[in-house]
Amino acid sequence: MARYLLLLTFLASVFGAQAGIVRGRITDTKGAALAFANVAVRNTSTSTATNEQGNYQLRLNPGQYELVFQYVGYKPRTETIRVAGGDTATVLNVVLESENYRLGEVVVRATDRDPAYPIVQQAINWRRYHQREVAAFKARVYIKTLGRFTDVPGKILGLVKVGPDVKPGIFYLSESLSDMTFRQPNVVQERMLSSRVSGDAKGISFNRASAGRGLNFYNNVLKSGFSERGFVSPIADGAMLFYKYELQGSTQQNGLTINKIRVTPRRRTDPVFSGYIYVVEGTWRLHSVSLDLTKDAQLDYVDNIHIEQLFAPAPGPSDVWVMQSQKITMGFEAFGFKGNGYVTAVLSNYQVTPTYPNRPAPQTAPPAVASKDAEPAPVMRESVADVKKQKPVLRGFAKQVKERVRRSERSDSIGGLPVERMPRGQVMVVEKGVNERDTSFWSEVRPVPLTDEEKKDYHLKDSTEVIRSSRPYQDSLDRKRNEPEPMKFLVTGYTYRNTFKKWQFSVAPVFNILQYNTVEGAVVNAQATYTQNTDDRRSFSLTPAVRYGFANKLLSPSVEAVWQHDPVKLARLGVGVGQTIENFDLNSQLTPFINTQYTLFRNRNYAKYYRRLGGDISYTTELLNGLTVRTALSYYDRRELQNATIDLIKDVAGRAFTPNRPVSAELPNTSFARNQALTAELTLSYRPGQRYITRPDGKLNFGSKWPTFRFTYLQGIQALGSDVRYTRLGVGVSQSVNMGLLGTSSYNVMTGAYLGTPRLYFMDYRHFSGNQTAFASNFAQFQLLDYYLYSTRDRYLEAHYNHHFNGFFLNKIPLMRRLKWQEVASVNYLRTPSSGNYVELGVGVEHVLKVLRVDFYTALQSGNRQANGLRIGLGF
């Protein structure tokens, strides 16, 4: 459900007028409601939109106004109205007629293609101009988001019961009011002024006005969150390779010729839209869009999306247009859940700083038309080749663009009015008390009236919130949620909750509790976690554990505690003490469950263990935005363990268990005597340009276009009886790079070395997280490398690269398209004094059965093939 909540977050705007109210309903000629139609006050920046029932409302000061009613594909209508003072309501119902787009006479020259192509080519030529024509703007944004279930399963995948509080109907309804500022090239900042979430008086809306910038059709590729691939805009630079265009006709609106063009995919499998774009003749800008995405476009998490946007001239003398409204509707079906939802956004109160001092003359003048009903005059349509020759006209504006953008970046004003500057990286501030506005406040500022369904949802959930927040009600829900189920214990583990007191007690699934290895034999590793949360996102967790091996009769009790005390700096203190049985590689991909299967059924005791007794303490905090520091200090007594059993279920002929002693190329004998180790660690992680949201209850970090840089300092200290003395330094860099339709690349490079002549034991070596089983728990690690063979006490260089093509090739194959498999390629590299140049090359597919990934790998060492293997793991 969380993914659906995140999918339902985009743009809108507010209307800040007082006094008289104008309300009414907008319908078509058949009486059907026109949902999300736009209503604007001419010569002002005030606008609103209708709700799902076609109702609208405006608050205006007393006086006379011209209201412009618009809906994509319909004739605009202007009505003059006089608004009285006080709370007097003026009712104005409006009927809009379908626009009559007439082809008229079209003279085609040098081409036999549809006359839509030269129009689209002009729009493509002018795309970057319109993308950058606004150097900066500020706007008031109102957003309303709704999600509803139409069907809810009894169990998810037939295994886990759905909670009793998840029912058909609205599961999420929120409104938000924000001020958004934009500066070129793509700096968006937002201040949320008010928020309302149905049924949650303390809740803060998921709405983000800045999220809607991802649906900018002047960008070549739209990254919307609905797909990993992104979608090609109908006016992208290479759009004609993906779309077919058909001119439906032209019409006159306010002295402008508007061309209606139908866009359809050339191939069903391409990540493209279908529907209509409306292009203004002469300026070649988008007037509006009405576009759809379906399953054929390889949507994730939703089945269909409809997007409508309406643009209009910005207030003031400049010849720039801005978005007035946007609506997004969607339907989804997954894991037995069915539903739909929408996000409607209205923008108003614009302050705009244009980029260009003046616009060049249109390349084709709009025809003169005597009246709005007259037949469009003949228009000369140049060929696409002729239109492309006009591109140099636009290149001369590059210098002007850069200079105006620089001025905008340095300026503290937009449209001549002062504007607050937020700290670098801060994309949003949620003001304190944002959720404390009452219903009367929302009645005054809400530009889009509530539907009957929404009113009912607010009334029901708000009126029953006290009851639902009470201890008896929450205890009754907990009794249902806390009912033990065998599948929970086996698959997900069991959690006992006390919602009212905000604590829970969790037990790990059975396959983590029951284990088997040759050192301990059958193992019971019983552990549970108690977690106490607070309203301000602080938490404390305590995890006691008792491990017992039946073969070596060794009891190992331990306890860990974590206290997150600062939700802004994400600061947390961790303490652990006790006796544990550890793998020599603490970050091994070899999980206890996988090792158990290979030990019992394959005669492969890959995991090698030792015993340690002691404790550690760690502290992690974010010193500056993007700079995270972790410090740790530990002291352990460490002892060697031997195999205690050779029992198994299936004996593979000719294969015997190996000793509990790792095989190392650098250390012929990894056996060790009892020793003590005092170690200190300092890790710095820095991500320049990290974007974040500041909320009253903490800070939320987002990504950055820059890589993450890491520095690690590990020191073995010969004091307090410690037997180790070493210094290990390491640096690394990692990043995920979006490559548009080609997919996403991610890399992680690490290098380091031990200084001087270190004194240490094998568990202190630098290990490289290998894998020798068919199961991959982490595809960003080595998949054919021995777990311990190339562990080093010297210098090392490690690199991992994965590229997710996101279906770029397989989506073009009918069968693969239906399966929704996506291709992936990877390279892993290691160099140590003993490994030489070790390389793994992998190719595979992910999203198999929606959640699995299968890869085939080949290992090369110094150019010679070493091994091949198939790996299966999670990949979705």
Side-chain angles (χ1 to χ4, degrees):
M1 185 191 301
R3 295 306 297 264
Y4 294 131
L5 294 181
L6 294 177
L7 290 175
L8 293 172
T9 57
F10 285 99
L11 286 181
S13 129
V14 31
F15 169 87
Q18 304 284 332
I21 301 174
V22 181
R23 63 165 57 104
R25 189 165 185 258
I26 303 178
T27 61
D28 62 14
T29 55
K30 296 181 180 179
L34 296 180
F36 310 110
N38 185 262
V39 184
V41 181
R42 175 164 286 178
N43 299 322
T44 73
S45 60
T46 301
S47 64
T48 185
T50 61
N51 61 21
E52 280 187 304
Q53 297 172 332
N55 296 318
Y56 75 94
Q57 67 181 25
L58 281 168
R59 285 184 175 269
L60 298 171
N61 291 325
Q64 183 169 300
Y65 299 90
E66 283 189 334
L67 302 185
V68 181
F69 299 86
Q70 299 179 86
Y71 193 75
V72 177
Y74 285 71
K75 293 180 181 180
R77 180 170 172 178
T78 302
E79 295 286 345
T80 301
I81 191 169
R82 178 168 292 278
V83 178
D87 290 329
T88 304
T90 302
V91 178
L92 177 60
N93 296 321
V94 174
V95 176
L96 296 184
E97 299 179 5
S98 296
E99 185 65 87
N100 185 15
Y101 288 89
R102 304 178 184 178
L103 282 173
E105 180 185 352
V106 178
V107 180
V108 179
R109 177 165 60 89
T111 180
D112 57 357
R113 304 178 78 180
D114 191 279
Y117 283 86
I119 300 175
V120 173
Q121 185 62 58
Q122 289 281 24
I124 293 172
N125 288 353
W126 287 83
R127 179 189 65 82
R128 285 183 59 82
Y129 178 97
H130 296 305
Q131 182 187 48
R132 300 179 295 176
E133 68 178 350
V134 175
F137 74 77
K138 179 181 178 181
R140 179 63 56 87
V141 181
Y142 167 85
I143 308 174
K144 181 165 64 175
T145 302
L146 179 144
R148 61 169 70 88
F149 287 127
T150 57
D151 194 11
V152 174
K155 291 184 177 181
I156 299 176
L157 299 178
L159 299 176
V160 182
K161 281 187 178 180
V162 176
D165 49 341
V166 181
K167 303 175 181 178
I170 294 177
F171 65 82
Y172 183 75
L173 171 62
S174 76
E175 299 173 276
S176 66
L177 191 66
S178 302
D179 280 340
M180 181 178 69
T181 60
F182 166 81
R183 286 183 172 88
Q184 292 283 2
N186 191 29
V187 179
V188 183
Q189 295 181 319
E190 176 182 357
R191 179 174 293 276
M192 183 178 285
L193 308 174
S194 188
S195 167
R196 186 182 184 189
V197 179
S198 180
D200 188 357
K202 297 181 181 180
I204 298 176
S205 173
F206 284 101
N207 297 341
R208 280 183 58 204
S210 54
R213 297 292 300 176
L215 289 177
N216 184 350
F217 285 92
Y218 289 116
N219 293 337
N220 281 323
V221 178
L222 285 71
K223 301 295 289 186
S224 62
F226 298 122
S227 172
E228 295 174 332
R229 299 178 67 186
F231 304 98
V232 179
S233 168
I235 58 170
D237 287 343
M240 291 190 181
L241 299 175
F242 295 89
Y243 288 97
K244 292 187 285 188
Y245 303 93
E246 181 182 352
L247 179 64
Q248 301 291 292
S250 303
T251 190
Q252 293 293 302
Q253 293 184 8
N254 300 319
L256 299 175
T257 299
I258 312 299
N259 298 296
K260 179 181 181 181
I261 298 174
R262 183 183 180 187
V263 298
T264 55
R266 286 191 176 275
R267 295 164 294 273
R268 286 195 309 136
T269 59
D270 286 341
V272 295
F273 300 87
S274 60
Y276 300 92
I277 60 174
Y278 300 80
V279 179
V280 180
E281 185 93 21
T283 58
W284 313 114
R285 65 172 76 251
L286 292 175
H287 170 274
S288 53
V289 301
S290 178
L291 296 168
D292 295 285
L293 292 169
T294 64
K295 282 186 175 181
D296 288 332
Q298 300 299 309
L299 289 170
D300 294 332
Y301 315 111
V302 293
D303 297 324
N304 56 79
I305 298 171
H306 178 72
I307 301 171
E308 288 190 12
Q309 294 178 350
L310 182 64
F311 302 88
S318 62
D319 183 25
V320 299
W321 285 35
V322 291
M323 182 187 293
Q324 277 195 320
S325 63
Q326 173 176 271
K327 74 170 182 180
I328 303 156
T329 57
M330 63 195 74
F332 58 85
E333 180 178 354
F335 303 110
F337 292 92
K338 295 180 182 180
N340 55 65
Y342 72 81
V343 181
T344 181
V346 183
L347 295 89
S348 61
N349 296 3
Y350 271 102
Q351 302 165 24
V352 176
T353 298
T355 300
Y356 308 99
N358 50 59
R359 179 188 172 95
Q363 297 303 297
T364 301
V369 177
S371 70
K372 64 179 182 180
D373 296 323
E375 185 75 20
V379 178
M380 179 68 72
R381 304 295 191 199
E382 301 95 336
S383 69
V384 172
D386 291 336
V387 173
K388 286 183 177 180
K389 294 177 182 178
Q390 299 166 2
K391 280 190 174 182
V393 177
L394 298 173
R395 297 195 183 113
F397 289 83
K399 187 175 181 180
Q400 296 180 28
V401 172
K402 292 180 181 178
E403 179 58 28
R404 293 303 293 265
V405 168
R406 281 195 295 265
R407 291 180 187 175
S408 171
E409 291 173 344
R410 296 191 298 264
S411 175
D412 290 325
S413 66
I414 296 177
L417 299 176
V419 175
E420 172 195 15
R421 275 189 174 273
M422 295 182 183
R424 185 177 296 273
Q426 188 177 56
V427 298
M428 185 175 182
V429 174
V430 179
E431 291 187 341
K432 187 176 181 180
V434 70
N435 49 12
E436 296 176 1
R437 310 287 190 180
D438 58 20
T439 55
S440 61
F441 167 84
W442 281 104
S443 297
E444 291 183 3
V445 303
R446 178 187 293 120
V448 181
L450 298 175
T451 64
D452 294 339
E453 180 190 25
E454 293 161 356
K455 291 177 183 178
K456 181 179 179 180
D457 189 73
Y458 269 133
H459 176 75
L460 178 63
K461 290 180 180 176
D462 290 351
S463 61
T464 60
E465 183 177 8
V466 175
I467 298 175
R468 290 184 291 107
S469 300
S470 66
R471 183 167 187 171
Y473 181 83
Q474 293 188 355
D475 286 349
S476 67
L477 287 181
D478 285 341
R479 280 193 294 272
K480 188 68 175 177
R481 296 191 191 105
N482 294 337
E483 290 179 356
E485 296 180 37
M487 289 307 301
K488 282 186 178 180
F489 283 100
L490 291 173
V491 179
T492 62
Y494 174 72
T495 298
Y496 184 91
R497 297 179 178 86
N498 189 314
T499 306
F500 183 78
K501 293 186 176 181
K502 296 181 174 60
W503 64 262
Q504 65 181 36
F505 189 77
S506 301
V507 178
V510 171
F511 63 80
N512 276 351
I513 295 176
L514 301 180
Q515 305 171 18
Y516 185 85
N517 61 70
T518 56
V519 173
E520 302 168 277
V523 176
V524 174
N525 185 32
Q527 65 178 39
T529 300
Y530 168 82
T531 303
Q532 177 68 63
N533 296 302
T534 65
D535 290 334
D536 58 357
R537 295 178 64 214
R538 302 172 196 268
S539 66
F540 173 78
S541 65
L542 186 69
T543 305
V546 177
R547 183 184 181 109
Y548 183 75
F550 286 88
N552 63 359
K553 296 180 172 52
L554 184 62
L555 180 68
S556 301
S558 63
V559 62
E560 294 182 356
V562 177
W563 176 35
Q564 180 173 297
H565 65 90
D566 190 333
V568 176
K569 294 184 178 180
L570 305 177
R572 59 188 179 274
L573 175 69
V575 178
V577 63
Q579 178 171 279
T580 57
I581 307 300
E582 298 289 351
N583 194 314
F584 281 86
D585 178 8
L586 295 178
N587 299 313
S588 177
Q589 294 188 70
L590 188 62
T591 65
F593 178 75
I594 295 175
N595 185 68
T596 297
Q597 308 311 309
Y598 270 77
T599 302
L600 290 174
F601 297 97
R602 301 289 298 275
N603 280 41
R604 296 291 196 190
N605 58 326
Y606 287 126
K608 308 302 178 185
Y609 297 100
Y610 70 98
R611 180 173 62 159
R612 72 179 191 182
L613 173 64
D616 59 62
I617 182 170
S618 64
Y619 187 74
T620 304
T621 187
E622 188 179 43
L623 288 182
L624 302 171
N625 179 49
L627 177 61
T628 301
V629 178
R630 181 183 186 274
T631 57
L633 184 69
S634 66
Y635 188 90
Y636 285 106
D637 177 90
R638 307 181 301 193
R639 302 186 186 187
E640 188 173 14
L641 295 173
Q642 306 294 334
N643 285 340
T645 181
I646 58 172
D647 293 339
L648 42 70
I649 294 177
K650 180 180 179 180
D651 191 4
V652 179
R655 183 182 297 170
F657 287 128
T658 58
N660 185 47
R661 188 175 299 165
V663 176
S664 169
E666 286 191 14
L667 187 63
N669 183 7
T670 56
S671 178
F672 64 93
R674 178 180 178 181
N675 65 83
Q676 290 76 41
L678 174 64
T679 60
E681 179 185 349
L682 172 66
T683 300
L684 303 177
S685 175
Y686 180 53
R687 191 169 194 179
Q690 176 176 268
R691 297 175 297 132
Y692 64 96
I693 293 176
T694 302
R695 296 163 52 108
D697 57 354
K699 179 177 182 242
L700 299 178
N701 291 328
F702 289 85
S704 168
K705 66 178 181 179
W706 298 99
T708 298
F709 300 93
R710 296 181 306 279
F711 169 77
T712 301
Y713 168 66
L714 190 62
Q715 182 67 54
I717 305 171
Q718 199 165 14
L720 302 177
S722 173
D723 299 307
V724 299
R725 183 188 68 250
Y726 62 86
T727 300
R728 191 180 89 196
L729 300 179
V731 295
V733 59
S734 60
Q735 187 181 18
S736 181
V737 181
N738 188 326
M739 303 180 69
L741 298 182
L742 286 177
T744 302
S745 285
S746 60
Y747 66 86
N748 187 10
V749 180
M750 298 152 284
T751 185
Y754 289 80
L755 305 183
T757 305
R759 179 178 178 180
L760 71 174
Y761 298 86
F762 189 69
M763 65 282 292
D764 302 311
Y765 278 43
R766 174 65 163 86
H767 306 285
F768 298 105
S769 192
N771 187 16
Q772 293 176 273
T773 74
F775 304 104
S777 57
N778 185 353
F779 280 100
Q781 298 289 351
F782 295 102
Q783 297 305 325
L784 300 175
L785 186 69
D786 185 281
Y787 294 105
Y788 313 103
L789 184 62
Y790 297 126
S791 299
T792 186
R793 56 182 289 169
D794 206 324
R795 62 192 182 277
Y796 62 89
L797 173 63
E798 177 182 3
H800 304 277
Y801 175 80
N802 273 261
H803 184 79
H804 303 264
F805 289 93
N806 298 336
F808 183 82
F809 297 107
L810 294 183
N811 285 343
K812 295 176 175 58
I813 305 173
L815 178 59
M816 296 293 101
R817 180 177 68 248
R818 295 177 66 88
L819 293 174
K820 290 190 175 182
W821 291 2
Q822 297 183 4
E823 58 276 66
V824 63
S826 58
V827 179
N828 301 313
Y829 175 80
L830 176 66
R831 182 172 179 81
T832 70
S834 58
S835 71
N837 293 309
Y838 175 85
V839 180
E840 292 177 357
L841 304 176
V843 293
V845 292
E846 52 190 351
H847 296 194
V848 178
L849 300 178
K850 294 187 177 181
V851 297
L852 297 180
R853 173 174 166 179
V854 181
D855 283 29
F856 178 80
Y857 288 89
T858 295
L860 305 172
Q861 191 166 28
S862 300
N864 299 316
R865 180 176 295 180
Q866 294 295 307
N868 299 316
L870 200 67
R871 297 293 180 261
I872 302 173
L874 295 178
F876 52 89

